[in-house]
Each structure stands twice: as structure tokens, then as C-alpha cells.
Amino acid sequence: MAQIRIARRVLTECIAAIAFPILLISLLVFPVASPVVAETDRSRGRWCGAEAMPLKPSDNSWAQWVSLRLRSRSLWRTDLPVLVTSALLSALSLLVAFFGFIGAAVLVFSPVFWLLGIAAQVGPFTPDSVGQTFLAVPAGVILGSVTTAVLTGTSFLRDLFQRAFSRGRDPDLLAKLEELRTSRASLTAAFEFERQRIERDLHDGAQQELVAVVMRLGMLEAAATSAATDRERVVRLAREAQAQAERALERLRETVRDIHPRELSDLGLIAAVRELAARSPLRVELTSTGDDSQLSSPTATAVYFTVSEALTNIAKHAHAGVARVDLRCTTTDVHVRVRDDGVGGARIDAGSGLAGLRERMRSVGGNLDILSPPGGGTQVSASAPGQPPW
């Protein structure tokens, strides 16, 4: 296993030596090249057995990840120093590998060169006899071993610099980590709240209706098997059972619609929001512009439920006469704003529906803001990229 890791280190140093001209040119465009070289070096270290964790998510393209990295201060604290040290160490590897391995090969094959009439010279040494050529063979083996050791040491030196530049507590990464922890906790709470809501809707809605249907069918069976029961009572019980089953089916449809509306999948975001406004007990003024065909399903779903929750809150708490929804879709992002002229005073509290919606929007790379002064109505604004960053 150790021999394999040494072979990997020597191989990567040889590749780095070959890539030295590219690294030299990349110094001219260091803002873009730095994260690419640093991430490649982290992958190299991990392949060689070092403790190095690549930072680029596997589902992110290089262009997306580099653009995010360019906005981080880590570019100057970690990536740029790694680029500079990689270029310097690659120059060292180029010199060592070129002169070391070529010199070792010349010494090892000195007898062959002598037979061909070639006086192979390595530095100040030039064999003058067949005996000297055979003595040069072990010297070549030693030179090859020393070259391998130097290249291996250079590889370890890369790992040392990589750890040194990454050891500092990066404020950007720490803030992002804390944001992810908070977001994960909020999403977990929001999902639990949604699960309990679905369970409550099924228990209080469709389940109760289905229990009533079973009871009606039992009464219908008893009436049908009784000789004293008249035909009108059987028909009445059958109709009541049918009506109860239809109500249960409608409750189930409402529950499924709250999980993921069919209009959203079949017709798109704008049509689904239009249907949502039509079903609302409020008078909703909807303005929609743009084309929603480029929106991903997660983004469209997050925006839809933002509008749905906002309209529900207006109907329940705002005491408003009218709600206004402005939806704007572009080829790159989507913006929505829901306003009312109600009592205001709404807040995004932990565990609330709006808090869950904010985390849902953040999960697709967007955000949600609320402006609700007491007595001044409420405005919920949300925006998100058309395609999530992940």
C-alpha cells in the first residue's frame, strides 16, 4: 500500500512538471485559475492518501462553483497561495524529474550506449571504458532512487502547504456552515410541521368521512337484508353513503393538492397561481409576466407554496378586503410579491408557516422577506433562481 502511494505521488509530480507551463500562464488569470488549481491540488492530495477534502460539490459545474468561489475571501487566503506554491513546486519537480530521470536512464544504459559507439555524458562524468559504463549502472539506479525520493518529498511539501493555507478559520466558510446548520434545523422543523398537518388533515377530514361511509354501508346492508325495510329507505341510505364517499374523495383531493398541486405539474407556475387565486375566498388581483417554462420544479413548487401560504394567512388573519399578487418570471429567475391592505403585524416566527417557506426558498437558492407594519398591511416578497444552485 505504501509503495502504491509513493508511486502515485511520483506520478502526480511528473504530471505537475509537465503542466508547469500551464500553471505559469494561469498566474496571469489567477482570479479564475486559483480555485481550479487549488481544488485540483486537494483532489491530488486525497488521491495520494493525504487528509484533503475537495470543496466543490459533485453536482455543481465548474463554472458555477468558480463563480461562487470568486465572491469568497477564501480565494485570497487559500486558493491564490496554493496556486503560487503549486507553480513553484512544479518548477522544482520539472527540474528534478528531467535531469534526475534522464540522467539515471543514461547511466543505467551506459553499456548499451558504449556498444553503439556513443559516449553518454551525465554532468561531469563521461565513461572512458567498458568497466566505467558498468560501474555507471548502479550509480544510475541510485540517482533514480534519489530522484524518486525528492519528488515524493516535494509531494509531501505540497500537502504541508495545503494544510497550512487551509488551517485558518475562514469567516466565509464558518458563516456558511452556521447558516446551513440553522437552515437544516429549520427545514427539519418545517417538515415535521407539514407532516403533522397532513396527518391532521387526513385524520379530521378524509378518515372521518370514510368511517361514516363504512357505517352507512353497514346500515345499508342491514336494511337490504331486512324484509321489513321499504325500498325508499334503502335508496336513501345508498345516496347518503355515496354523498359521504364523494366528500371523502374531495377531502383527499384537497390534501393531495396541498402536498403538490396537479396544475403546477401539468400547466406550470403561472397557471397554478391563477387557479390558486380563483379558489381563494378573497378577491385576488393577479398580475403575471414572463415565461415560466424555464423554471425548475423545485423552484416553481417553492414559489407556489409561498403564494398559497400568504393568501391563506391573509384570509385567516389580515381582515383584508383584497390581495394583490405580482408574479414575474424571466429566463434566469422568478420574483413574486403578495400584498394586502389588512391589519399587518405579521412576523416570521420559528416553527411558523412563513419560517418554513423561507427555508424552502433558501433551499433552492432564493430568499423570502416580509414587510408588515402594524396597521399598514403585509407584503411578502420572494425570489429565486430559475435553476437551484445544487
Side-chain angles (χ1 to χ4, degrees):
M1 192 67 178
Q3 291 82 356
I4 294 177
R5 290 183 175 179
I6 291 177
R8 287 181 175 180
R9 290 186 177 277
V10 174
L11 176 61
T12 53
E13 287 305 315
C14 291
I15 294 173
I18 296 172
F20 171 69
I22 300 175
L23 288 174
L24 200 59
I25 296 173
S26 66
L27 290 173
L28 301 176
V29 289
F30 66 90
V32 176
S34 295
V36 176
V37 173
E39 184 67 8
T40 303
D41 193 58
R42 282 187 283 267
S43 299
R44 173 211 59 83
R46 189 178 184 184
W47 189 62
C48 293
E51 295 182 0
M53 182 62 64
L55 299 181
K56 174 184 170 295
S58 58
D59 52 355
N60 268 25
S61 67
W62 277 101
Q64 290 176 331
W65 184 74
V66 169
S67 64
L68 292 174
R69 198 69 176 166
L70 289 175
R71 295 193 291 268
S72 172
R73 284 177 289 180
S74 301
L75 175 73
W76 307 97
R77 298 183 178 183
T78 302
D79 296 347
L80 182 58
V82 170
L83 172 62
V84 174
T85 55
S86 294
L88 294 176
L89 292 177
S90 294
L92 175 62
S93 296
L94 177 60
L95 294 174
V96 172
F98 182 80
F99 292 105
F101 284 137
I102 290 181
V106 170
L107 291 175
V108 169
F109 291 101
S110 287
V112 178
F113 292 142
W114 180 268
L115 292 177
L116 295 176
I118 302 174
Q121 180 180 359
V122 178
F125 173 73
T126 302
D128 295 329
S129 64
V130 176
Q132 289 183 355
T133 61
F134 281 102
L135 290 176
V137 173
V141 174
I142 294 174
L143 179 59
S145 301
V146 171
T147 302
T148 300
V150 172
L151 290 177
T152 304
T154 305
S155 180
F156 279 110
L157 192 60
R158 288 181 189 272
D159 296 342
L160 180 63
F161 281 120
Q162 182 69 255
R163 287 194 299 269
F165 295 136
S166 302
R167 189 173 297 166
R169 298 174 64 85
D170 189 341
D172 292 339
L173 293 179
L174 291 177
K176 192 66 175 177
L177 179 60
E178 184 62 28
E179 179 183 345
L180 289 175
R181 287 174 178 170
T182 305
S183 178
R184 184 174 63 177
S186 300
L187 278 176
T188 301
F191 289 154
E192 178 64 19
F193 176 81
E194 187 68 9
R195 185 193 65 80
Q196 293 177 359
R197 183 193 66 79
I198 295 173
E199 181 181 5
R200 184 173 60 252
D201 289 348
L202 290 174
H203 181 273
D204 298 340
Q207 180 175 324
Q208 297 299 326
E209 299 289 351
L210 289 174
V211 170
V213 170
V214 173
M215 295 178 61
R216 297 282 183 186
L217 291 176
M219 296 170 61
L220 178 61
E221 180 185 11
T225 56
S226 175
T229 304
D230 57 1
R231 181 174 178 275
E232 291 184 358
R233 183 165 183 261
V234 173
V235 172
R236 179 174 58 82
L237 289 174
R239 289 175 177 173
E240 291 176 353
Q242 181 182 5
Q244 206 85 38
E246 290 176 351
R247 285 195 295 271
L249 182 60
E250 183 60 28
R251 291 289 187 90
L252 283 174
R253 286 173 177 168
E254 291 176 357
T255 302
V256 171
R257 185 185 296 117
D258 288 340
I259 297 174
H260 190 86
R262 184 174 180 179
E263 298 89 352
L264 187 60
S265 302
D266 296 344
L267 304 177
L269 176 62
I270 294 177
V273 171
R274 187 177 294 117
E275 179 68 20
L276 186 66
R279 293 199 312 266
S280 176
L282 296 165
R283 183 167 66 90
V284 180
E285 297 178 356
L286 173 62
T287 302
S288 59
T289 58
D291 181 13
D292 59 3
S293 61
Q294 301 298 319
L295 298 180
S296 66
S297 178
T299 298
T301 302
V303 173
Y304 174 88
F305 281 109
T306 297
V307 177
S308 176
E309 180 72 16
L311 291 179
T312 300
N313 289 341
I314 294 172
K316 288 183 177 179
H317 311 295
H319 306 291
V322 62
R324 296 175 179 84
V325 179
D326 299 318
L327 178 62
R328 180 167 57 90
C329 303
T330 69
T331 57
T332 58
D333 53 18
V334 57
H335 302 266
V336 65
R337 183 173 57 185
V338 183
R339 296 172 293 167
D340 66 72
D341 54 358
V343 297
R347 295 184 303 172
I348 301 181
D349 297 323
S352 66
L354 287 176
L357 288 176
R358 170 178 280 181
E359 297 308 323
R360 185 193 285 266
M361 294 300 300
R362 288 178 175 176
S363 70
V364 296
N367 198 11
L368 181 144
D369 295 311
I370 183 170
L371 179 62
S372 184
T378 300
Q379 175 177 295
V380 177
S381 303
S383 60
Q387 299 294 327
W390 38 265

